[in-house]
Each structure stands twice: as C-alpha cells, then as structure tokens.
Amino acid sequence: MAERNRVKQLSWGQRRCLELLSLLMRVWSWTLRFELDATLRSLKEASPGPIVVILWHNRLFAAPELYRRHFKWRRLAGLVSASGDGAWLSAFMETLGIEPVRGSRHKRGAQAFRELLKVSRAGFDVVITPDGSRGPVYEMKPGALSVAVKTEAPMLLLSLNFGGAWRLKSWDRFYLPFPFSKVEARAELVAVSELAETSQPEALVANLEQKLSRITVDRS
C-alpha cells in the first residue's frame, strides 16, 4: 500500500532542466494572440469565486499563459498523475505558478480527491483534463463531475482552439501552437444548480461532454 501511494519526485538536475524548458515555454507562449469569447470576457470582469475548469488534455499548452495574461489574480491548481511522467508535469507546473495535486483514478485517487477539495475551498481554481492522462481522447470521465459537485463550485468548460499548430504523435495528438499564432478561447459556464439538477451522473457526464465538444475545434 505504501508503494501504491508513493508520489514519484524528480532529481535536482531534472528540475533545473525543467526550469529552462519553462523559460522557453513562457517566451513561446508570450507570442500567442488570444481571442476571448463573451463568456470569458464576462468571467474576467465579474471575477467570481473558485471554479472548476474542464479542458481537454491536448489543449493544455496555452492554458497557463491564458491565466497569466487575462486572469493573473486567480490562483490555479491542477490534478497530475502520481506516476513518473506525472512527476515531470508536476514540477513543470510549479515553474509556471500552478499548484499541482498528485494522484489519479489509478494511484492515490482518494487522497488526490481530498486535496482537490482542499485547494478549491482555499480559493484556487481547479483545472482538470477529463480525458487524461491516458485517454481515450475527448472521452469525459466522471471524476471531473464529482469534484465540481463536491466543491459546490461552478464548472467552466474551456476549449483553446489553435489557428495554427503542430500535433504530436501522442495518444491525444497534443497541440503545440505555432509562435505568433492566434488562439481562440471559447468557454461555457455551468452553474452549480445545473450540475445538481440531474440525478443520473452518466446522463450529466454525457451532456457536459457534448457541451465541451461543441466549442472544440480540431485542426489536423
């Protein structure tokens, strides 16, 4: 059990490499041109309490820059796998000013769930990739819904649609936007009352997946 709950960490040298990579990403992201839709412009002006952000895994690259540029007064936390790969991503997130919460449905799931609730109640927005970290791509899992309901926080369905990008040969065909390209940020805010209306979680997950898919644009 101790081995199962152990969180893998990086060495000092590995962390220094990630700091350099983080610097490169910041410079790269700085060149991007964001176009916010009406929902995100209203969110920026209203600045409500903590929310749960739902974002497909393959659109993560530009999310930190979106927050840094347009929502820099909001604190952001993200769920990351407890695996070795997750150790890299967790350390990388820290260099970008994002609070990592380690765990997944495979490892430390219950502990990660409690920690997500804790950071949400401390005022952090929580970002979750409902199809990560192993896919299938664009298939929403019920964990994101559980966190949103338990935190009693609104859910923001967010899609970052890239005007031009390379796509990696990963399970999710991860997007790397071209420098100086446009990023269309589209969102739909789901109120707590709407989340509580449906008594059958499967139906609600299917509905949310459909909503997120409607604002998602895929480019090869």
Side-chain angles (χ1 to χ4, degrees):
M1 182 63 71
E3 179 66 25
R4 179 183 178 85
N5 290 328
R6 186 174 301 163
V7 175
K8 296 184 179 181
Q9 304 291 344
L10 298 185
S11 67
W12 180 89
Q14 289 171 325
R15 285 184 174 274
R16 299 293 80 78
C17 290
L18 277 183
E19 287 175 359
L20 292 175
L21 182 60
S22 172
L23 178 60
L24 173 62
M25 180 177 173
R26 285 175 183 269
V27 174
W28 187 343
S29 298
W30 179 80
T31 70
L32 299 177
R33 296 176 290 113
F34 286 91
E35 181 182 276
L36 274 60
D37 71 353
T39 298
L40 288 171
R41 291 196 300 271
S42 296
L43 182 69
K44 186 175 180 179
E45 294 173 2
S47 188
I51 57 178
V52 177
V53 181
I54 305 298
L55 176 71
W56 294 130
H57 192 274
N58 63 12
R59 289 151 207 275
L60 276 172
F61 183 92
E65 180 64 16
L66 173 70
Y67 255 72
R68 189 199 66 78
R69 198 178 301 183
H70 294 285
F71 303 97
K72 60 184 178 181
W73 60 91
R74 301 183 71 89
R75 295 179 294 170
L76 187 62
L79 179 62
V80 185
S81 169
S83 66
D85 290 342
W88 285 93
L89 181 56
S90 177
F92 190 57
M93 287 170 62
E94 288 178 332
T95 67
L96 297 173
I98 302 172
E99 181 74 18
V101 177
R102 301 295 302 279
S104 69
R105 65 192 179 114
H106 303 284
K107 293 184 178 180
R108 299 184 75 250
Q111 178 64 24
F113 185 78
R114 288 192 293 270
E115 290 173 10
L116 279 174
L117 294 180
K118 182 178 178 181
V119 296
S120 176
R121 289 165 182 167
F124 285 80
D125 290 348
V126 173
V127 61
I128 298 174
T129 54
D131 57 344
S133 56
R134 302 179 183 181
V137 64
Y138 300 153
E139 183 176 304
M140 187 175 290
K141 302 179 180 74
L145 173 63
S146 299
V147 172
V149 173
K150 289 289 186 180
T151 59
E152 299 183 346
M155 180 183 290
L156 185 75
L157 304 175
L158 173 66
S159 183
L160 300 175
N161 303 320
F162 302 104
W166 294 285
R167 299 197 70 177
L168 304 184
K169 295 183 182 296
S170 55
W171 64 265
D172 61 349
R173 301 292 315 284
F174 194 87
Y175 280 95
L176 286 178
F178 297 152
F180 301 99
S181 61
K182 184 172 71 171
V183 181
E184 297 179 346
R186 301 288 178 259
E188 181 169 343
L189 192 62
V190 183
V192 176
S193 58
E194 185 176 343
L195 293 171
E197 281 176 2
T198 305
S199 59
Q200 297 184 4
E202 296 84 0
L204 185 50
V205 169
N207 182 41
L208 293 173
E209 182 179 295
Q210 187 179 51
K211 286 178 181 289
L212 185 52
S213 296
R214 277 203 301 263
I215 59 174
T216 298
V217 178
D218 253 327
R219 293 185 173 93
S220 58

